[in-house]
Amino acid sequence: QVQLAESGGGLVQAGGSLRLSCAASGRTFSRHAMGWFRQRPGKEREFVATVSWNGDRTYYADSVKGRFTISRDNAKKTVYLEMISLKPDDTAVYYCAADDGPFGQVGLRPIEYDYWGQGTQVTVSS
């Protein structure tokens, strides 16, 4: 079991930056690929970024490539999402999630993730 808690959301102007954190509890954090997803108003939850268990592989949605960076610190049981050049279209609730699939798997779809945080709101004003 993994419990996840996001923080770092808030209101920022377009072009600004935010750093989201996701703190995990549980003994197996370092075995899980970790992902960030978001749900924009009126839309389905969508993939943003993911990082493998040891950080050697990262994947991003096309819409955030070059602006968002995912990273993890297994010693601190924390995964981060650094967001720069934010746009109003990035406004969403951001969720972190842990993939409890086969070791080494790095999922790109919400259905592949088993543990979810409560989410943190990011609002980008124009």
Side-chain angles (χ1 to χ4, degrees), residues 101-120:
F103 182 67
Q105 172 177 292
V106 182
L108 301 182
R109 300 174 298 163
I111 198 172
E112 296 177 281
Y113 287 76
D114 305 275
Y115 305 108
W116 293 83
Q118 292 300 307
T120 185

Side-chain angles (χ1 to χ4, degrees), residues 17 19 27 30-31 33 46 48-49 56 58 61-63 68-69 79 81 86-87 101-102 104 108-109 112 118 125-126:
S17 60
R19 188 195 199 200
R27 296 186 299 173
S30 63
R31 291 183 52 84
E46 62 179 356
V48 174
D56 68 340
T58 57
D62 288 343
S63 59
F68 291 11
T69 303
V79 62
L81 187 68
L86 283 161
K87 306 174 182 179
L108 301 182
R109 300 174 298 163
E112 296 177 281
Q118 292 300 307
S125 63
S126 57

Side-chain angles (χ1 to χ4, degrees), residues 10-59:
L11 173 64
V12 63
Q13 288 188 331
S17 60
L18 282 174
R19 188 195 199 200
L20 305 184
S21 299
C22 174
S25 61
R27 296 186 299 173
T28 63
F29 172 79
S30 63
R31 291 183 52 84
H32 299 285
M34 295 296 298
W36 284 97
F37 295 81
R38 67 186 181 187
Q39 190 159 14
R40 293 182 278 186
K43 298 193 176 182
E44 294 186 352
R45 195 168 297 188
E46 62 179 356
F47 167 74
V48 174
T50 187
V51 59
S52 60
W53 69 275
N54 62 353
D56 68 340
R57 289 172 290 157
T58 57
Y59 302 95

Side-chain angles (χ1 to χ4, degrees), residues 56-76:
D56 68 340
R57 289 172 290 157
T58 57
Y59 302 95
Y60 297 92
D62 288 343
S63 59
V64 307
K65 277 181 184 176
R67 300 188 298 121
F68 291 11
T69 303
I70 189 171
S71 61
R72 66 188 297 161
D73 184 333
N74 284 345
K76 295 183 178 179

